[in-house]
Amino acid sequence: MTKNIQFIFGVHNHQPVGNFDTVFEEACEKSYYPFIKILEKHPRVAVSLHYSGSLLEWLIKRKPDFINTIQKLVRRGNVELISGGFYEPVLTAIPEKDRIGQIVKQNQFIRNHFGYEPRGLWLTERVWEPHLAGCIEQSGLNYTFIDEFNFMSTGIYEKPLKGYYNTEEDGHTLGIFPISYQLRSMIPWAEPEDIIDYLKSLLTDNSQDVVTVMDDGEKLGLYEGSYERVYEKGWLDRLMTLLEETPFITTKTVKEYWKSFPPKGLIYLPSCSYFDLGRQSLNCRVRQDFEKVLKSLEDMKYDDLARPFVKGGIWRNSLTKYPESNWLQKRMQQVSRKYYLLSSQYKRNDCLRKIREDLWKSMCNNGYWYNISGGLYLPHLRTALWTHLIRAEKEIDKRLYNQENHSFLREESDIDRNGFIEVSLSSRDLNAVFSAKYAGALVEFDYRPVNYNLCNTVARYKEYDCHPGDHDVYDTYPRHSLLERYFDLEINPRGLMNNAYEEASDFLNEPVDLRKDADSDTVVFARKGWINWQRCSLKKSIQMNENGFHTEYKISNIGFADNSFLFGPEFNLALNVGSPEDRFFEANQKLPNNGLENMLDENGIQFLRIVNKAIGIEVRFTFENPVRLLTYPVYTMLQKASGKEKIFQSTAILPLWNVRIEPGKTQKLSFSFSVKNL
């Protein structure tokens, strides 16, 4: 019997919700278009293709000729279209109804636009948890793809893995194809002849044997140096020519193979993904230890043997590593619950459909975690997710709670599941959320007329792959707003930016008591603690109004001596959208066009105006008593091959009062915060 090997060649293509048009264009020009043009020339090469919904929607609007080409290839019969969660969510991060809904949406989209019935699912970031088998099968799909080393930890130790296995959950069955680590490593960096030689080494007289590779299409054109290699020097054309001309290698689509051959057995995989995601999900200190373990195994020549068992963390670790990611994800889940409550009561399908689209777009994975491209450190990706989420919630609240005026709805719940209460005060135009865990801080402030969260920033975290530098600074507290700061020495903006000062109290990062007797438009927090090593108490009252809120502080000296210190609420406002000339300060009618990335240190300030023309809003602070105003920009550092990239995340604004309180006395301080359209 003649020996042969079957080969499944799959490509996944995706651009996230909110990415720049220029990135979509470049990806089309350097990757998506040239790949399809080469594939057109090779009708005997079978390829399985996945395009995310966000990319497909853009292509249909901007590149209809590309869509026409895909339709022709599908009709020709050598191209399979793979489905997935429409807006490329990590399926384990979203509610089950939304998982099924997004998969069904992409199934239907592929049927409508390409006349094709999909059977397979691309698993976003290849993040697998056992319970996914049920919802994938219920969505009408039959198989997915997971990295092969995850199979080996279950006791299947064939190298390389061939064929596919079934798994099941609660009576629902799903086929899982192992993705070849060797082929992923070779494509596109090995010569086509070497890839063919590797496939030759797998020849077998078992007609069922198949080896699968499924990888990012952007590797073929967008990665540094890949366009020249893959297209200009003909790498892909040579590979496809060799695949056509080599008689003992047969390319198959996954669908064709799955219909023809049974699984090799039953398997139960643990929660897993690809290896680098597992290590990336660890915080820096743990990652350092993990890399030491890997290095030791490598030195002992055990690294390949140990890889199935030494995997790092799981994707969900990103939710604890980055509280900002956890907050966005928990708010998305909260809005999803509200949507399904509304859909059970409200029957206008056109409105529900638009709300659901915004909700689902807010689930796109890229802005939720740190990856090689930047992920949650990229403000435009986070902003897009928040925009869609806020718009969805605004339309839901309008219908669920008849929010057509400026009255406020008060809700108390543990939104982020950290064991502490958050208080939400929402109206037609505003949604403000305050955290009892972080001294009553403002963790979210949505200005609904423009669907913008002013608190959408991220703290400065130490990352393992960001090379140390002389000016690296990491935060020791969350970058929330309305965080009270206390200092007993002279300070300046640069020292604040460098996190150089110790707090003169034990209030920062500490929980506070939530008073229960407040009106529906008011939230009151209180705490006793130490300021300058003397006992003090703080009462913070926040009353919402049509355009923002008014905050009043009562600081009481319950110690035995006079107490003097600097006190004020820190804000970290994400007004970084647009070009530098679109965003600026104005204080006491002075400092016109002072950019938000500038450092300020001004005395006697009673009024501060912040303008962002790109968003179309202005923010105002009004202080009852003059303050010393300090501001500085907050940058995070992103490591790239060319060096570190500095990313402007937010502007820290710290108004300070000089406070002196005698024993048994109380000092009152207050200010107002408002937002309106330009």
Side-chain angles (χ1 to χ4, degrees):
M1 180 180 291
T2 304
K3 292 186 176 183
N4 59 47
I5 186 70
Q6 299 180 85
F7 176 42
I8 291 172
F9 184 18
V11 177
H12 151 68
N13 304 284
H14 166 59
Q15 290 298 323
V17 171
N19 213 357
F20 299 123
D21 255 10
T22 53
V23 178
F24 278 84
E25 291 283 359
E26 183 184 20
C28 281
E29 180 182 343
K30 291 187 174 181
S31 180
Y32 311 145
Y33 261 112
F35 183 92
I36 291 302
K37 291 299 181 185
I38 298 296
L39 183 57
E40 275 190 293
K41 295 167 54 181
H42 298 278
R44 289 186 292 126
V45 175
V47 176
S48 299
L49 296 175
H50 172 257
Y51 296 91
S52 67
S54 50
L55 176 55
L56 283 171
E57 287 184 333
W58 187 90
L59 288 168
I60 283 174
K61 290 180 181 178
R62 303 291 293 273
K63 308 290 180 182
D65 57 324
F66 183 89
I67 297 297
N68 291 338
T69 303
I70 297 294
Q71 291 169 342
K72 292 176 184 176
L73 292 174
V74 168
R75 287 195 296 270
R76 193 170 71 179
N78 65 316
V79 165
E80 170 187 15
L81 294 180
I82 301 291
S83 188
F86 194 85
Y87 292 109
E88 199 74 0
V90 168
L91 293 181
T92 61
I94 69 175
E96 183 173 5
K97 287 182 180 179
D98 298 305
R99 289 182 210 138
I100 295 173
Q102 288 217 37
I103 297 169
V104 169
K105 177 180 172 66
Q106 181 131 7
N107 295 347
Q108 190 61 50
F109 191 96
I110 291 171
R111 292 189 200 102
N112 292 344
H113 291 276
F114 302 99
Y116 187 84
E117 186 66 38
R119 287 296 180 189
L121 176 129
W122 171 254
L123 197 59
T124 300
E125 297 302 328
R126 312 197 294 280
V127 174
W128 169 260
E129 292 184 9
H131 62 86
L132 291 179
C135 64
I136 295 172
E137 198 258 2
Q138 289 177 70
S139 303
L141 301 180
N142 303 108
Y143 49 81
T144 189
F145 316 86
I146 297 176
D147 290 53
E148 68 177 353
F149 78 91
N150 294 302
F151 289 68
M152 298 173 186
S153 64
T154 69
I156 297 173
Y157 222 72
E158 176 189 3
K159 273 191 154 183
L161 277 172
K162 300 170 186 173
Y164 73 98
Y165 290 79
N166 271 0
T167 192
E168 64 83 27
E169 173 71 12
D170 197 23
H172 299 283
T173 305
L174 185 72
I176 304 181
F177 284 78
I179 300 172
S180 167
Y181 174 78
Q182 182 66 31
L183 285 169
R184 282 193 69 248
S185 301
M186 296 179 79
I187 296 174
W189 313 116
E191 293 301 318
E193 292 78 9
D194 294 334
I195 294 172
I196 296 299
D197 286 344
Y198 175 71
L199 291 173
K200 285 182 183 179
S201 73
L202 307 179
L203 293 179
T204 174
D205 54 10
N206 183 347
S207 63
Q208 184 174 343
D209 279 357
V210 66
V211 63
T212 302
V213 66
M214 191 88 181
D215 207 355
D216 296 344
E218 292 78 18
K219 280 177 67 175
L220 305 176
L222 271 189
Y223 281 29
E224 187 174 357
S226 64
Y227 179 77
E228 178 184 12
R229 174 176 179 79
V230 173
Y231 301 114
E232 292 182 344
K233 293 186 176 180
W235 180 93
L236 183 62
D237 193 34
R238 283 162 50 210
L239 176 63
M240 289 191 173
T241 298
L242 289 169
L243 289 172
E244 284 183 315
E245 294 177 349
T246 306
F248 44 77
I249 299 175
T250 306
T251 60
K252 291 281 183 73
T253 64
V254 195
K255 184 177 183 179
E256 182 183 7
Y257 180 88
W258 178 82
K259 282 185 172 182
S260 303
F261 297 99
K264 296 183 73 173
L266 183 65
I267 192 172
Y268 292 96
L269 293 171
S271 298
C272 58
S273 182
Y274 55 90
F275 188 77
D276 283 344
L277 185 148
R279 74 206 309 184
Q280 185 68 50
S281 70
L282 302 173
N283 67 49
C284 186
R285 185 170 181 178
V286 176
R287 174 80 181 274
Q288 289 170 343
D289 291 340
F290 181 72
E291 296 295 334
K292 290 176 184 176
V293 171
L294 293 182
K295 183 64 168 61
S296 297
L297 292 169
E298 183 180 340
D299 291 343
M300 293 185 291
K301 311 297 185 187
Y302 288 155
D303 48 321
D304 285 342
L305 185 65
R307 176 164 290 203
F309 312 104
V310 182
K311 301 180 183 180
I314 61 173
W315 185 88
R316 288 180 190 255
N317 292 150
S318 294
L319 303 178
T320 53
K321 183 178 177 183
Y322 305 106
E324 299 88 349
S325 173
N326 184 57
W327 181 257
L328 174 59
Q329 190 247 4
K330 297 305 186 290
R331 285 281 285 118
M332 169 267 289
Q333 292 182 329
Q334 181 188 40
V335 176
S336 175
R337 291 191 293 273
K338 292 167 73 172
Y339 166 77
Y340 289 105
L341 175 61
L342 175 67
S343 66
S344 68
Q345 304 173 6
Y346 191 77
K347 300 306 177 185
R348 285 193 57 185
N349 290 333
D350 54 336
C351 292
L352 289 172
R353 193 177 302 113
K354 291 177 182 177
I355 293 170
R356 188 183 64 188
E357 288 303 295
D358 276 315
L359 172 64
W360 285 355
K361 286 179 180 179
S362 78
M363 298 175 181
C364 182
N365 81 92
N366 302 74
Y368 282 89
W369 63 293
Y370 173 48
N371 51 56
I372 191 172
S373 301
L376 90 162
Y377 283 118
L378 300 181
H380 67 283
L381 295 185
R382 296 196 317 272
T383 296
L385 301 184
W386 276 112
T387 295
H388 290 295
L389 187 63
I390 293 167
R391 184 186 291 127
E393 185 174 42
K394 175 179 69 177
E395 295 302 321
I396 292 169
D397 288 354
K398 186 188 301 182
R399 292 162 175 81
L400 271 183
Y401 309 122
N402 297 315
Q403 285 191 323
E404 295 291 350
N405 54 39
H406 299 295
S407 61
F408 280 85
L409 173 70
R410 178 191 175 105
E411 295 180 273
E412 296 180 14
S413 62
D414 180 11
I415 296 172
D416 56 1
R417 301 297 188 257
N418 64 1
F420 293 86
I421 292 295
E422 285 84 37
V423 181
S424 301
L425 298 171
S426 62
S427 67
R428 184 189 67 184
D429 292 340
L430 305 176
N431 179 47
V433 187
F434 303 90
S435 169
K437 180 179 180 180
Y438 295 109
L442 178 65
V443 297
E444 180 179 338
F445 189 89
D446 303 331
Y447 184 58
R448 289 175 159 180
V450 295
N451 305 309
Y452 194 81
N453 175 13
L454 278 72
C455 297
N456 171 28
T457 187
V458 63
R460 298 171 294 184
Y461 298 103
K462 187 174 183 179
E463 298 289 356
Y464 177 85
D465 57 2
C466 195
H467 305 321
D470 294 336
H471 304 291
D472 292 344
V473 179
Y474 309 111
D475 288 319
T476 53
Y477 62 95
R479 284 284 165 187
H480 296 323
S481 290
L482 205 62
L483 270 175
E484 287 70 43
R485 307 295 304 275
Y486 305 80
F487 302 100
D488 60 355
L489 45 76
E490 185 51 41
I491 62 174
N492 61 63
R494 186 165 298 279
L496 288 169
M497 184 172 72
N498 292 335
N499 203 16
Y501 305 118
E502 290 189 11
E503 206 74 13
S505 78
D506 66 348
F507 281 78
L508 188 66
N509 282 342
E510 292 297 325
V512 291
D513 295 327
L514 171 64
R515 295 292 177 86
K516 297 294 187 179
D517 54 352
D519 295 331
S520 62
D521 62 352
T522 302
V523 59
V524 180
F525 298 102
R527 184 179 186 272
K528 293 180 180 179
W530 298 89
I531 304 175
N532 271 349
W533 299 104
Q534 294 195 62
R535 294 289 290 167
C536 290
S537 67
L538 174 72
K539 182 179 180 182
K540 176 165 70 173
S541 302
I542 305 139
Q543 183 174 30
M544 303 297 296
N545 56 52
E546 178 178 340
N547 298 312
F549 56 83
H550 180 79
T551 301
E552 180 180 88
Y553 294 108
K554 293 181 180 179
I555 309 173
S556 299
N557 184 346
I558 54 178
F560 300 101
D562 289 356
N563 203 347
S564 299
F565 50 90
L566 294 172
F567 165 81
E570 178 178 304
F571 281 74
N572 289 280
L573 298 183
L575 298 171
N576 48 354
V577 175
S579 58
E581 56 269 19
D582 289 333
R583 52 198 194 214
F584 53 86
F585 291 110
E586 183 182 277
N588 286 12
Q589 313 302 324
K590 301 177 182 178
L591 309 173
N593 300 323
N594 211 304
L596 298 192
E597 295 182 67
N598 293 344
M599 293 186 193
L600 296 182
D601 189 348
E602 298 289 333
N603 288 300
I605 303 298
Q606 282 194 278
F607 171 80
L608 174 66
R609 178 173 178 255
I610 310 171
V611 172
N612 189 299
K613 294 180 179 179
I615 305 172
I617 62 173
E618 68 170 47
V619 176
R620 292 174 178 251
F621 290 84
T622 305
F623 304 100
E624 183 176 348
N625 300 308
V627 298
R628 177 186 172 191
L629 179 68
L630 299 95
T631 73
Y632 62 90
V634 178
Y635 298 108
T636 55
M637 307 303 292
L638 181 63
Q639 187 70 49
K640 294 192 170 182
S642 56
K644 286 186 179 180
E645 179 182 344
K646 187 167 67 172
I647 301 176
F648 177 39
Q649 297 291 351
S650 60
T651 302
I653 301 164
L654 182 57
L656 290 173
W657 291 281
N658 280 299
V659 176
R660 182 179 180 277
I661 315 176
E662 297 176 358
K665 300 293 185 179
T666 297
Q667 182 160 347
K668 295 181 181 180
L669 299 164
S670 65
F671 72 97
S672 294
F673 173 89
S674 64
V675 185
K676 68 175 185 177
N677 291 337
L678 286 175

